[in-house]
Amino acid sequence: MRRIATAVAAALALGLLLPWAMPATAASAPPAAAAFRQEVPRTILALVDLREEDTIRLSRIHTMVELPLNHLGLSVVYWNVADGLPDLSRYPGLRGVVTWFAGEPFADAAAYIDWVGRAMDRGVRFAVLGQPGVRLERGGRPVPLALANRFFARFGLRDDDGFSDLTYRSKPALADGTIGFERTLSGVLPGYPLFRKTDARVSSHLVMRRADDPASDSHLVVTGPAGGLAAEGYDRYFDAEYNRRQWIVDPFAFFRNAFATDDLPKPDVTTLSGRRIYFSHIDGDGWRNVTEVTPHAAKRVLSADMVRIAAIEPFPDLPVTVAPIVGDLDPTWNGTPQSVEAAKTLFALPQVEPASHTWTHPFQWIFFKDYSRQKEAPFLDRDGTYRPTKSDDHAAETAGEVSDIGRYAVPRAYLQQPFDLDQEIGGALDYFTRLAPAGKRAVLVQWSGDTSPFEDALAAVRKTGGVNMNGGDARFDADFPSITGLPPVGLPVGTERQIYAAGSNENTYTDLWTNRFYGYRNLVNTMRHAGAPIRLKPFNVYYHMYSGQKAASLNALVSVLTAARATELAPVAASIYARIAEGFYTARFEPLEGGRRWRVRDRGALNTLRFDRASATAVDFTRSTGVLGQRHSQGSLYVALDPAVAEPVVALAEIDRADRDPPAPVPYLVEGRWAFSALAGEGTGEGAGFRVAATGYGEGAMVWRVPRPGPWTITAERDGAVLWTGSATADDDGRLALTVPLSGIDPLILRLRPILRPSGGAAG
């Protein structure tokens, strides 16, 4: 598929430059001359104890803390304290440390307290939730109070060795806006320690008082110069009966204060061209199921064809990435000519990107970490093939979660041949690339089964030049009423990284495909809550091919796509989102002279930065390079970077008004449905316009802010041929809204120029 990078290359081939960008002296300064400080630290080291939490994937920090930290622009790495204390010299970009212990992880608490002190002395901030790990040593031996207070003093607190275990007479003496984020303090409250505040620089967010006695005040949630601390039971609420977690503390406010992130440029994976990103991907499970939808059932139409007919062909403006399982297609495994033809027909559609859901569909990835054929022997019948448990009409259900998720009768769906990791990853990508039309390449691996790949599997994807995605099961709705149902951007697995999907598939809405087959229509609630009042996730429509089997599930899917079509979005292929997510982790920021100015390095495909609490802030284009545009939304400033500029410079300035697009001496993008690159000026004087490369799905709705109000002419070209010419009028504030009535799947060059009066002035 031709993607965003194609448009960039086309624009660069035309030699598009930026004559207006900034003064020549600043633009030509070498990077070494501009940099005078080290890079902005944005790494948070999470200390976990994998003796009490089985895996990082299920840890409190990963499932609850990492999403807010990602939103604040921070990348998280993990260290298991069962292996000792980490060497902080291994983390040159370290901004802070976060802990959330449930027990006593340290055999030598004094060594840990000394380690924390040395880290804080070098400017590393700490955020401590739950048990601090300094009251008892491993095995239950008490830590001397004087020693523990060396730790608490770093947070401006002193433990007076008191504890309120009967809280019926306790109530908040102070609870600011940081408290009560998803659940208020109500009912029977947990017991709490008696913390006195000893440092006036520390802000108290929750102070509990017993029996209206000020002498009993205990400061349970605080932030300050060293970081922050939230006492156990007052950080989050946990309902064991329903396995429901909700934040008491506002994690965005708490970590923002603890790690001082206000002026940190935040690489944003939710937004492109000023709009919320949309992407959709389909796992191939159920590919060969025969649909029950009338009248197609009588013709024995495959579910894959039914999805194409009802949910892909009618939505040419919404891209979708389709990932079959080779075992469902290849006739030497369990494929048929009909299942192969279904894939070829899908891949030929312009809006479809080919991808892979693996070769044999592993259900339990860890089973194959140290694989031997002997391990699979109990699952093989006499001829070494998998024993289907369904009728012929639904045989493909054995190749997906539809039949085995949560119980997994076998380690993978197809066992005819020994497991081969190279075949599973690179071989499957090559197979689907050969099925696709020339110019389309399968690069995305969508993890199957438990979506828990081991390190070598992730490395195999990277070595092919591909990207990976799946897992996370994002839900934020009435059944999952908390941001804790939303996963972070990804998961570190050894030295590799798994990228999570941004939405959950229909399995979680249909009780693992056993009932409520209409349930996927509720995806819109998660997408709405994950988009406002703060944008936490892109709009992701993720499902399986067996959604084409039943009328209820197919109708639910179409309703979701219809809702997405009616929303202001910037659609991209799923592999593009995966590369954007990778860019979140690699992006680096180098502070430059002049204040509030940064050079952006190693961002990959990520082309949006966000600045929070920025309603009175705008891009200073005279001190910036490689900036496409800006847009204020939800109190934040979203800055669009030019993909054609490898190391853009972003500078900020204060503005007087926040109720209109900020003025600028150059044209800039406010928002658009397409992706743009290589913005450049054309012409000189009053008639000067600009041109930009563009690519995307559906018609190109967009808004530009231009220096000259009045009428403008727009042309769209491809390969030197003019395909469309139109006009639009910029209002008195220079806001130019227009729609190019073409598909942008194949890259276009747009040229915009003001229309002048014959006398030389702009037309009125």
Side-chain angles (χ1 to χ4, degrees):
M1 176 179 292
R2 294 180 178 178
R3 296 184 296 273
I4 294 172
T6 309
V8 176
L12 293 175
L14 291 174
L16 304 187
L17 303 175
L18 289 169
W20 60 57
M22 59 186 298
T25 54
S28 59
F36 69 102
R37 288 181 290 178
Q38 63 182 0
E39 292 171 0
V40 177
R42 51 180 295 260
T43 298
I44 301 298
L45 175 62
L47 301 185
V48 294
D49 186 354
L50 295 186
R51 294 164 298 194
E52 67 176 29
E53 297 183 294
D54 291 337
T55 66
I56 291 173
R57 185 185 297 269
L58 300 177
S59 68
R60 286 177 292 276
I61 292 178
H62 181 68
T63 57
M64 294 188 66
V65 172
E66 194 168 350
L67 170 77
L69 291 181
N70 287 171
H71 181 74
L72 293 171
L74 302 172
S75 175
V76 180
V77 296
Y78 288 82
W79 179 267
N80 180 13
V81 296
D83 297 329
L85 294 172
D87 178 1
L88 294 185
S89 66
R90 299 175 53 186
Y91 308 98
L94 188 63
R95 190 181 195 91
V97 175
V98 61
T99 69
W100 197 339
F101 300 126
E104 300 83 38
F106 303 110
D108 187 347
Y112 173 64
I113 292 168
D114 288 343
W115 179 87
V116 171
R118 291 193 302 272
M120 287 188 173
D121 287 343
R122 56 178 278 189
V124 177
R125 290 169 168 258
F126 275 68
V128 176
L129 298 98
Q131 290 290 353
V134 299
R135 297 185 184 279
L136 297 173
E137 290 186 333
R138 193 160 182 83
R141 185 170 64 254
V143 175
L145 185 61
L147 181 59
N149 269 327
R150 284 173 47 195
F151 177 86
F152 295 124
R154 292 283 186 166
F155 299 91
L157 300 174
R158 184 182 74 246
D159 185 350
D160 274 357
D161 200 24
F163 192 85
S164 292
D165 51 358
L166 298 176
T167 60
Y168 69 97
R169 298 182 67 189
S170 296
K171 62 182 180 180
L174 168 68
D176 68 8
T178 304
I179 307 303
F181 179 67
E182 292 178 333
R183 186 177 180 88
T184 59
L185 291 172
S186 60
V188 179
L189 299 177
Y192 57 86
L194 185 59
F195 279 136
R196 307 291 190 193
K197 190 168 84 168
T198 60
D199 189 337
R201 297 174 301 167
V202 169
S203 297
S204 296
H205 305 287
L206 175 63
V207 179
M208 293 297 292
R209 178 174 294 173
R210 186 173 57 244
D212 294 325
D213 178 11
S216 70
D217 283 0
S218 183
H219 298 251
L220 298 184
V221 179
V222 298
T223 57
L229 183 145
E232 183 177 28
Y234 292 84
D235 43 15
R236 59 118 186 215
Y237 168 81
F238 176 66
D239 185 331
E241 181 179 358
Y242 294 99
N243 192 30
R244 177 174 291 178
R245 301 171 301 175
Q246 292 178 300
W247 282 102
I248 295 172
V249 168
D250 179 343
F252 302 102
F254 178 76
F255 292 119
R256 168 187 155 250
N257 290 324
F259 294 126
T261 64
D262 271 1
D263 212 27
L264 171 70
K266 298 166 180 65
D268 191 281
V269 304
T270 71
T271 303
L272 179 70
S273 300
R275 290 187 173 200
R276 189 180 185 187
I277 289 173
Y278 169 94
F279 70 97
S280 177
H281 63 298
I282 313 174
D283 290 346
D285 310 48
W287 188 277
R288 295 188 297 114
N289 295 6
V290 174
T291 187
E292 300 169 10
V293 177
T294 57
H296 305 279
K299 301 176 184 178
R300 300 183 62 79
V301 171
L302 299 185
S303 288
D305 286 321
M306 193 68 250
V307 167
R308 171 180 55 81
I309 292 167
I312 297 180
E313 289 178 338
F315 296 90
D317 52 329
L318 296 179
V320 59
T321 300
V322 177
I325 304 158
V326 175
D328 276 342
L329 273 59
D330 191 327
T332 63
W333 290 73
N334 276 33
T336 65
Q338 187 182 10
S339 64
V340 172
E341 188 57 33
K344 290 181 178 179
T345 304
L346 275 163
F347 291 167
L349 294 174
Q351 73 270 34
V352 171
E353 175 188 42
S356 169
H357 199 43
T358 72
W359 193 289
T360 66
H361 199 285
F363 292 130
Q364 297 170 319
W365 279 91
I366 195 64
F367 182 92
F368 300 99
K369 183 177 181 180
D370 299 306
Y371 173 77
S372 71
R373 185 62 165 170
Q374 185 177 2
K375 289 174 63 177
E376 282 189 319
F379 307 105
L380 305 177
D381 63 11
R382 294 177 182 176
D383 62 2
T385 58
Y386 173 64
R387 298 186 296 271
T389 58
K390 303 289 183 179
S391 67
D392 289 342
D393 282 356
H394 303 287
E397 287 188 359
T398 61
E401 291 90 337
V402 59
S403 62
D404 287 300
I405 189 168
R407 48 188 182 272
Y408 297 136
V410 290
R412 55 185 173 133
Y414 297 123
L415 298 89
Q416 289 97 312
Q417 299 294 329
F419 178 85
D420 182 335
L421 183 59
D422 289 338
Q423 179 190 57
E424 205 71 45
I425 303 300
L429 288 172
D430 289 343
Y431 183 91
F432 296 122
T433 297
R434 291 194 300 271
L435 287 184
K440 287 190 178 184
R441 178 173 168 243
V443 297
L444 176 64
V445 175
Q446 298 173 198
W447 298 113
S448 59
D450 62 5
T451 64
S452 299
F454 50 93
E455 185 177 4
D456 286 349
L458 286 157
V461 179
R462 177 177 50 79
K463 290 172 183 176
T464 69
V467 287
N468 79 91
M469 187 165 58
N470 268 356
D473 285 333
R475 292 284 301 271
F476 191 2
D477 51 34
D479 291 331
F480 296 82
S482 169
I483 65 162
T484 62
L486 300 177
V489 177
L491 169 73
V493 182
T495 59
E496 305 292 333
R497 192 173 298 274
Q498 176 182 351
I499 301 302
Y500 283 141
S504 185
N505 61 57
E506 72 277 63
N507 262 320
T508 70
Y509 293 91
T510 61
D511 295 335
L512 307 181
W513 199 245
T514 59
N515 61 58
R516 299 190 303 173
F517 296 108
Y518 57 84
Y520 193 58
R521 67 186 183 187
N522 290 315
L523 173 73
V524 296
N525 295 319
T526 288
M527 292 298 107
R528 182 174 68 251
H529 294 149
I534 55 177
R535 189 176 298 164
L536 296 173
K537 287 290 176 185
F539 196 120
N540 178 204
V541 179
Y542 166 34
Y543 57 102
H544 297 84
M545 277 302 181
Y546 51 71
S547 274
Q549 181 178 338
K550 298 183 179 294
S553 57
L554 194 62
N555 288 337
L557 172 59
V558 171
S559 73
V560 168
L561 294 170
T562 302
R565 176 180 269 174
T567 305
E568 183 190 88
L569 299 168
V572 300
S575 68
I576 295 296
Y577 171 73
R579 293 199 187 279
I580 290 170
E582 288 181 339
F584 171 85
Y585 296 102
T586 59
R588 298 182 295 130
F589 304 104
E590 176 187 314
L592 302 179
E593 293 180 359
R596 304 192 77 188
R597 186 166 176 253
W598 302 266
R599 176 174 283 107
V600 186
R601 301 185 187 274
D602 299 334
R603 75 187 193 277
L606 186 145
N607 289 308
T608 299
L609 301 184
R610 195 186 75 253
F611 297 87
D612 292 336
R613 303 164 70 88
S615 296
T617 299
V619 172
D620 184 346
F621 284 91
T622 64
R623 299 192 300 139
S624 301
T625 56
V627 174
L628 277 175
Q630 61 181 334
R631 187 184 193 185
H632 286 98
S633 180
Q634 300 175 340
S636 296
L637 175 67
Y638 290 84
V639 177
L641 305 179
D642 195 329
V645 179
E647 295 187 352
V649 172
V650 179
L652 301 181
E654 296 301 307
I655 55 175
D656 296 330
R657 293 179 57 178
D659 60 341
R660 63 177 181 178
D661 303 324
V666 297
Y668 67 80
L669 176 71
V670 178
E671 53 92 357
R673 181 179 175 88
W674 290 349
F676 301 91
S677 63
L679 177 63
E682 283 196 324
T684 58
E686 293 184 350
F690 63 97
R691 56 184 171 181
V692 66
T695 186
Y697 299 86
E699 295 185 344
M702 63 192 77
V703 176
W704 295 85
R705 202 282 180 187
V706 295
R708 180 185 294 278
W712 285 64
T713 183
I714 306 100
T715 62
E717 305 173 6
R718 182 178 294 133
D719 299 327
V722 175
L723 304 182
W724 174 82
T725 299
S727 62
T729 300
D731 65 17
D732 291 341
D733 289 329
R735 189 177 179 88
L736 180 67
L738 62 108
T739 298
V740 178
L742 300 173
S743 169
I745 293 177
D746 292 322
L748 296 164
I749 297 296
L750 306 182
R751 301 180 189 272
L752 294 85
R753 185 180 298 275
I755 300 174
L756 302 179
R757 293 194 185 100
S759 61

